[in-house]
Amino acid sequence: MKDSATLVDYLVIGSGIAGLWFAWKADRNKRILIVTKKDSPESNTNYAQGGIAAAVAENDAPRLHYQDTVRVGSGLAHPDVVTLVTAAGPRLVRELWDLGIKFTTRRETDGKVEFDLGQEGGHRRRRIVHARDATGFEIEQGLLKAVRARGDVTIWEEHLAVDLLIDEERKCCGADVLDKSTGELKRVYARFCLLATGGVGQVYRHTTNPAIATGDGIAMAYRAGARIANMEFIQFHPTTLFGHRINDRVFLISEAIRGEGAVLKTIDGKDFMPAYHPDGSLAPRDVVARAIATELARRGEEFVLLDCTSIEPSKLRERFPNIYKTCLSFGIDITRQPIPVVPAAHYVCGGIVVNTWGETSIKRLFAAGECACSRLHGANRLASNSLLEALVFAERAAMKANEEIVEEESISFERLGGGDRISFIKEAGHDKQAVIDELLNRLRNLMWYYAGIVRSDSGLREADVQLARMAAELERFIPKNISIPILELRNMITVAKLIVACASRRPESRGLHYNQDHPFPDERFERDTVVSKDDLGFVV
Ligand code: FAD
Ligand code: SIN
């Protein structure tokens, strides 16, 4: 193994909306390096369908968007953060538009061209700015184009950040990064570092998240000693296509389709949602996902149906071309047949604790996007608030870093910790890969059944025991001959332990966390669950 070192001003880990927006907002004439573990577009961002929530309509206002976000957040959304984010929405959407991102528009009767606004669960107004049903793809492409056009941003694709570099004063000074094509470990020194590594969906058996979503940033930050919060709040999207996988993920059927009139039904055609919530099929996601889980358990069935046939076929094809084509490729014509759907893990509301400038509890380390816990969402995320949150915090992190960067300051390389360098291999080898695959399957099943939509005290205790066993089994591979699957599995076990630890510390039900042994909210727990390596004590 050959090591090399690079020095940059800003090291950005991740090339989804948060990483790219930070790079776009970073000062000119700085050395900016983005490392990303696959090709640049591969990210949760790339698959976002519904859109970005922003109070741009005439009958809307940031104040109303604020109210919806706070209500859905079930007591834990922080008012100052919600104010900041909802107020910034209209400006940020227009900035994206000015960059050339083609949101869908429509002509009003008076001739004015306005954004075509979608409707999603929990929103009291139409406020979802979208690019038909491929909003994330449009944003990802637009931002990559803009960032590349700057000419001063370097992107290393197929580079996986392994661990952060922390000096003796507990400042972040960069990261060790693995070049996946050569197996070379590169040390990147940076004056500021942004974690923008996205979500954790791959920890669960069924998820809408692509393979990159293994929680690396949260695990790295935890190992480095950062504060982590609210990991119990995992959002399960109610409607994903049943029975078909696309690589490691399931296909999302956007909530926006319910916003246009699609209705959830049991297999025998009963519209079951009104019995659970006055908003029926458009109730907040936690309610819908739990209602589906309840119906499936009660009826012993595998899926429910999403009936879109009341929507005009030409409108369905025009507004949801991606969903229409993908379902058709699996033999389902959504203009004529209901779609079999089930919930799947979708989004993590918790993550690395940041303040309103995106600063973590480690100096010079920022986090933004899904890996961060800004406390915007509280115990439940309002649909389409995450792309907006990523923009707000990536921008504020860049503003702060731009303001604080001191050109002359040198990094004290000699005081860097980091411990032993580990050696990497490109392939794990058949025998090892079989063990890794088995561990991964076990992990995903365990999390699905014991830390999923419905939890219990005994289930969480069992998950804790099993996770400790898995961590010990993984130990055998570390520190010798680590491969990428082992690194990702280590991160996933770390994240799983954080989810279970946070869930165990919340003996109540609130927002996305439902424990059947404590089925109601308890005001004693109307607070964030904040943990760190110092108090949990484990390192995988
Ligand atoms: P991501 O976009 O996931 O980017 C993470 C980046 O980090 C990737 O480039 C990845 O390769 C890289 N990375 C990860 N680990 C490492 C590592 N160790 N080293 C180097 N690079 C690494 N939200 C909405 O607001 N509206 C929607 O309509 C919407 N629809 C969604 C639909 C789907 C199917 C999914 C999965 C999510 C959706 N969400 C939506 C959520 C939203 O897309 C994400 O929360 C948001 O895109 C996260 O952006 P991000 O930049 O934080 O992370
Ligand atoms: C969707 O389109 O239903 C996803 C929106 C989101 O996750 O915010």
PDB file of all heavy atoms in Angstrom, residues 49-51 120 235 237 252-256 285 346 381-386, ligand 2:
ATOM      1  N   GLN A  49     -38.062  12.384  -5.589  1.00  0.00           N
ATOM      2  CA  GLN A  49     -39.153  12.479  -6.565  1.00  0.00           C
ATOM      3  C   GLN A  49     -40.032  13.706  -6.333  1.00  0.00           C
ATOM      4  O   GLN A  49     -40.143  14.579  -7.179  1.00  0.00           O
ATOM      5  CB  GLN A  49     -40.027  11.214  -6.473  1.00  0.00           C
ATOM      6  CG  GLN A  49     -39.324   9.959  -6.920  1.00  0.00           C
ATOM      7  CD  GLN A  49     -40.260   8.748  -6.955  1.00  0.00           C
ATOM      8  OE1 GLN A  49     -41.415   8.834  -6.570  1.00  0.00           O
ATOM      9  NE2 GLN A  49     -39.759   7.627  -7.423  1.00  0.00           N
ATOM     10  N   GLY A  50     -40.663  13.759  -5.135  1.00  0.00           N
ATOM     11  CA  GLY A  50     -41.727  14.734  -4.851  1.00  0.00           C
ATOM     12  C   GLY A  50     -41.325  16.167  -5.113  1.00  0.00           C
ATOM     13  O   GLY A  50     -41.992  16.895  -5.853  1.00  0.00           O
ATOM     14  N   GLY A  51     -40.239  16.641  -4.499  1.00  0.00           N
ATOM     15  CA  GLY A  51     -39.781  17.999  -4.728  1.00  0.00           C
ATOM     16  C   GLY A  51     -39.258  18.700  -3.489  1.00  0.00           C
ATOM     17  O   GLY A  51     -38.905  18.060  -2.513  1.00  0.00           O
ATOM     18  N   GLU A 120     -48.343  17.346  -0.637  1.00  0.00           N
ATOM     19  CA  GLU A 120     -47.911  16.121   0.051  1.00  0.00           C
ATOM     20  C   GLU A 120     -48.455  16.098   1.467  1.00  0.00           C
ATOM     21  O   GLU A 120     -48.947  17.119   1.975  1.00  0.00           O
ATOM     22  CB  GLU A 120     -46.384  16.001   0.031  1.00  0.00           C
ATOM     23  CG  GLU A 120     -45.862  15.732  -1.380  1.00  0.00           C
ATOM     24  CD  GLU A 120     -44.361  15.536  -1.467  1.00  0.00           C
ATOM     25  OE1 GLU A 120     -43.664  15.662  -0.451  1.00  0.00           O
ATOM     26  OE2 GLU A 120     -43.886  15.264  -2.582  1.00  0.00           O
ATOM     27  N   GLN A 235     -37.629   7.534   9.312  1.00  0.00           N
ATOM     28  CA  GLN A 235     -38.895   7.661   8.587  1.00  0.00           C
ATOM     29  C   GLN A 235     -39.066   6.512   7.594  1.00  0.00           C
ATOM     30  O   GLN A 235     -38.171   6.238   6.789  1.00  0.00           O
ATOM     31  CB  GLN A 235     -38.920   8.981   7.823  1.00  0.00           C
ATOM     32  CG  GLN A 235     -40.239   9.256   7.143  1.00  0.00           C
ATOM     33  CD  GLN A 235     -40.348  10.710   6.708  1.00  0.00           C
ATOM     34  OE1 GLN A 235     -39.633  11.143   5.816  1.00  0.00           O
ATOM     35  NE2 GLN A 235     -41.245  11.455   7.315  1.00  0.00           N
ATOM     36  N   HIS A 237     -41.188   5.366   4.472  1.00  0.00           N
ATOM     37  CA  HIS A 237     -42.113   5.909   3.469  1.00  0.00           C
ATOM     38  C   HIS A 237     -43.215   4.886   3.253  1.00  0.00           C
ATOM     39  O   HIS A 237     -42.940   3.702   3.066  1.00  0.00           O
ATOM     40  CB  HIS A 237     -41.378   6.193   2.154  1.00  0.00           C
ATOM     41  CG  HIS A 237     -42.124   7.113   1.253  1.00  0.00           C
ATOM     42  ND1 HIS A 237     -43.321   6.751   0.664  1.00  0.00           N
ATOM     43  CD2 HIS A 237     -41.878   8.385   0.854  1.00  0.00           C
ATOM     44  CE1 HIS A 237     -43.761   7.761  -0.067  1.00  0.00           C
ATOM     45  NE2 HIS A 237     -42.910   8.767   0.031  1.00  0.00           N
ATOM     46  N   LEU A 252     -39.616   3.952  -5.124  1.00  0.00           N
ATOM     47  CA  LEU A 252     -40.568   4.816  -4.422  1.00  0.00           C
ATOM     48  C   LEU A 252     -41.756   5.183  -5.321  1.00  0.00           C
ATOM     49  O   LEU A 252     -41.583   5.452  -6.502  1.00  0.00           O
ATOM     50  CB  LEU A 252     -39.844   6.105  -4.008  1.00  0.00           C
ATOM     51  CG  LEU A 252     -40.679   7.120  -3.237  1.00  0.00           C
ATOM     52  CD1 LEU A 252     -40.876   6.663  -1.809  1.00  0.00           C
ATOM     53  CD2 LEU A 252     -40.006   8.486  -3.245  1.00  0.00           C
ATOM     54  N   ILE A 253     -42.941   5.204  -4.721  1.00  0.00           N
ATOM     55  CA  ILE A 253     -44.108   5.768  -5.413  1.00  0.00           C
ATOM     56  C   ILE A 253     -44.422   7.054  -4.662  1.00  0.00           C
ATOM     57  O   ILE A 253     -44.947   7.039  -3.550  1.00  0.00           O
ATOM     58  CB  ILE A 253     -45.330   4.814  -5.367  1.00  0.00           C
ATOM     59  CG1 ILE A 253     -44.956   3.388  -5.819  1.00  0.00           C
ATOM     60  CG2 ILE A 253     -46.475   5.400  -6.199  1.00  0.00           C
ATOM     61  CD1 ILE A 253     -44.594   3.238  -7.271  1.00  0.00           C
ATOM     62  N   SER A 254     -44.070   8.174  -5.282  1.00  0.00           N
ATOM     63  CA  SER A 254     -44.106   9.472  -4.596  1.00  0.00           C
ATOM     64  C   SER A 254     -45.446   9.764  -3.907  1.00  0.00           C
ATOM     65  O   SER A 254     -46.521   9.486  -4.442  1.00  0.00           O
ATOM     66  CB  SER A 254     -43.823  10.583  -5.606  1.00  0.00           C
ATOM     67  OG  SER A 254     -43.944  11.835  -4.977  1.00  0.00           O
ATOM     68  N   GLU A 255     -45.298  10.405  -2.745  1.00  0.00           N
ATOM     69  CA  GLU A 255     -46.481  10.857  -2.018  1.00  0.00           C
ATOM     70  C   GLU A 255     -47.284  11.868  -2.846  1.00  0.00           C
ATOM     71  O   GLU A 255     -48.496  12.035  -2.667  1.00  0.00           O
ATOM     72  CB  GLU A 255     -45.982  11.531  -0.733  1.00  0.00           C
ATOM     73  CG  GLU A 255     -47.031  11.783   0.278  1.00  0.00           C
ATOM     74  CD  GLU A 255     -46.389  11.981   1.645  1.00  0.00           C
ATOM     75  OE1 GLU A 255     -45.722  11.056   2.129  1.00  0.00           O
ATOM     76  OE2 GLU A 255     -46.549  13.063   2.200  1.00  0.00           O
ATOM     77  N   ALA A 256     -46.588  12.542  -3.757  1.00  0.00           N
ATOM     78  CA  ALA A 256     -47.256  13.555  -4.591  1.00  0.00           C
ATOM     79  C   ALA A 256     -48.389  12.936  -5.402  1.00  0.00           C
ATOM     80  O   ALA A 256     -49.347  13.624  -5.773  1.00  0.00           O
ATOM     81  CB  ALA A 256     -46.234  14.212  -5.516  1.00  0.00           C
ATOM     82  N   ARG A 285     -46.716  10.943   7.196  1.00  0.00           N
ATOM     83  CA  ARG A 285     -46.144   9.637   6.841  1.00  0.00           C
ATOM     84  C   ARG A 285     -46.109   8.624   7.961  1.00  0.00           C
ATOM     85  O   ARG A 285     -46.292   7.433   7.731  1.00  0.00           O
ATOM     86  CB  ARG A 285     -44.709   9.848   6.391  1.00  0.00           C
ATOM     87  CG  ARG A 285     -44.660  10.166   4.977  1.00  0.00           C
ATOM     88  CD  ARG A 285     -43.263  10.285   4.499  1.00  0.00           C
ATOM     89  NE  ARG A 285     -43.363  11.090   3.304  1.00  0.00           N
ATOM     90  CZ  ARG A 285     -42.359  11.607   2.681  1.00  0.00           C
ATOM     91  NH1 ARG A 285     -41.140  11.416   3.140  1.00  0.00           N
ATOM     92  NH2 ARG A 285     -42.536  12.302   1.594  1.00  0.00           N
ATOM     93  N   HIS A 346     -36.688   5.118   4.756  1.00  0.00           N
ATOM     94  CA  HIS A 346     -36.578   6.189   3.756  1.00  0.00           C
ATOM     95  C   HIS A 346     -35.635   7.312   4.185  1.00  0.00           C
ATOM     96  O   HIS A 346     -34.865   7.818   3.370  1.00  0.00           O
ATOM     97  CB  HIS A 346     -37.981   6.738   3.522  1.00  0.00           C
ATOM     98  CG  HIS A 346     -38.076   7.790   2.463  1.00  0.00           C
ATOM     99  ND1 HIS A 346     -37.730   7.552   1.151  1.00  0.00           N
ATOM    100  CD2 HIS A 346     -38.506   9.085   2.514  1.00  0.00           C
ATOM    101  CE1 HIS A 346     -37.933   8.653   0.440  1.00  0.00           C
ATOM    102  NE2 HIS A 346     -38.389   9.601   1.245  1.00  0.00           N
ATOM    103  N   ARG A 381     -40.276  14.063   9.925  1.00  0.00           N
ATOM    104  CA  ARG A 381     -39.994  15.041   8.874  1.00  0.00           C
ATOM    105  C   ARG A 381     -41.226  15.288   8.013  1.00  0.00           C
ATOM    106  O   ARG A 381     -41.868  14.368   7.519  1.00  0.00           O
ATOM    107  CB  ARG A 381     -38.868  14.526   7.983  1.00  0.00           C
ATOM    108  CG  ARG A 381     -38.570  15.418   6.791  1.00  0.00           C
ATOM    109  CD  ARG A 381     -37.405  14.884   6.003  1.00  0.00           C
ATOM    110  NE  ARG A 381     -37.727  13.667   5.321  1.00  0.00           N
ATOM    111  CZ  ARG A 381     -38.038  13.579   4.026  1.00  0.00           C
ATOM    112  NH1 ARG A 381     -38.060  14.661   3.269  1.00  0.00           N
ATOM    113  NH2 ARG A 381     -38.310  12.417   3.475  1.00  0.00           N
ATOM    114  N   LEU A 382     -41.524  16.551   7.816  1.00  0.00           N
ATOM    115  CA  LEU A 382     -42.584  16.930   6.884  1.00  0.00           C
ATOM    116  C   LEU A 382     -42.062  16.657   5.466  1.00  0.00           C
ATOM    117  O   LEU A 382     -40.907  16.992   5.142  1.00  0.00           O
ATOM    118  CB  LEU A 382     -42.893  18.420   7.069  1.00  0.00           C
ATOM    119  CG  LEU A 382     -44.042  19.008   6.268  1.00  0.00           C
ATOM    120  CD1 LEU A 382     -45.386  18.412   6.684  1.00  0.00           C
ATOM    121  CD2 LEU A 382     -44.088  20.526   6.451  1.00  0.00           C
ATOM    122  N   ALA A 383     -42.918  16.053   4.640  1.00  0.00           N
ATOM    123  CA  ALA A 383     -42.518  15.681   3.283  1.00  0.00           C
ATOM    124  C   ALA A 383     -41.833  16.846   2.557  1.00  0.00           C
ATOM    125  O   ALA A 383     -42.244  17.994   2.679  1.00  0.00           O
ATOM    126  CB  ALA A 383     -43.755  15.243   2.510  1.00  0.00           C
ATOM    127  N   SER A 384     -40.788  16.518   1.823  1.00  0.00           N
ATOM    128  CA  SER A 384     -40.073  17.456   0.955  1.00  0.00           C
ATOM    129  C   SER A 384     -39.366  18.593   1.694  1.00  0.00           C
ATOM    130  O   SER A 384     -38.985  19.592   1.086  1.00  0.00           O
ATOM    131  CB  SER A 384     -40.986  18.008  -0.156  1.00  0.00           C
ATOM    132  OG  SER A 384     -41.225  16.975  -1.087  1.00  0.00           O
ATOM    133  N   ASN A 385     -39.172  18.422   2.996  1.00  0.00           N
ATOM    134  CA  ASN A 385     -38.403  19.415   3.755  1.00  0.00           C
ATOM    135  C   ASN A 385     -36.904  19.105   3.765  1.00  0.00           C
ATOM    136  O   ASN A 385     -36.114  19.931   4.204  1.00  0.00           O
ATOM    137  CB  ASN A 385     -38.893  19.461   5.210  1.00  0.00           C
ATOM    138  CG  ASN A 385     -39.850  20.619   5.453  1.00  0.00           C
ATOM    139  OD1 ASN A 385     -40.114  21.423   4.556  1.00  0.00           O
ATOM    140  ND2 ASN A 385     -40.364  20.720   6.666  1.00  0.00           N
ATOM    141  N   SER A 386     -36.491  17.921   3.293  1.00  0.00           N
ATOM    142  CA  SER A 386     -35.068  17.597   3.475  1.00  0.00           C
ATOM    143  C   SER A 386     -34.174  18.222   2.419  1.00  0.00           C
ATOM    144  O   SER A 386     -33.048  18.620   2.718  1.00  0.00           O
ATOM    145  CB  SER A 386     -34.854  16.092   3.544  1.00  0.00           C
ATOM    146  OG  SER A 386     -35.531  15.476   2.502  1.00  0.00           O
TER     147      SER A 386
HETATM  148  C1  SIN B   2     -41.932  11.532  -2.121  1.00  0.00           C
HETATM  149  O1  SIN B   2     -41.875  11.958  -3.273  1.00  0.00           O
HETATM  150  O2  SIN B   2     -42.916  10.952  -1.654  1.00  0.00           O
HETATM  151  C2  SIN B   2     -40.743  11.709  -1.249  1.00  0.00           C
HETATM  152  C3  SIN B   2     -40.749  13.047  -0.658  1.00  0.00           C
HETATM  153  C4  SIN B   2     -39.851  13.115   0.531  1.00  0.00           C
HETATM  154  O3  SIN B   2     -39.259  12.122   0.940  1.00  0.00           O
HETATM  155  O4  SIN B   2     -39.767  14.206   1.093  1.00  0.00           O
END
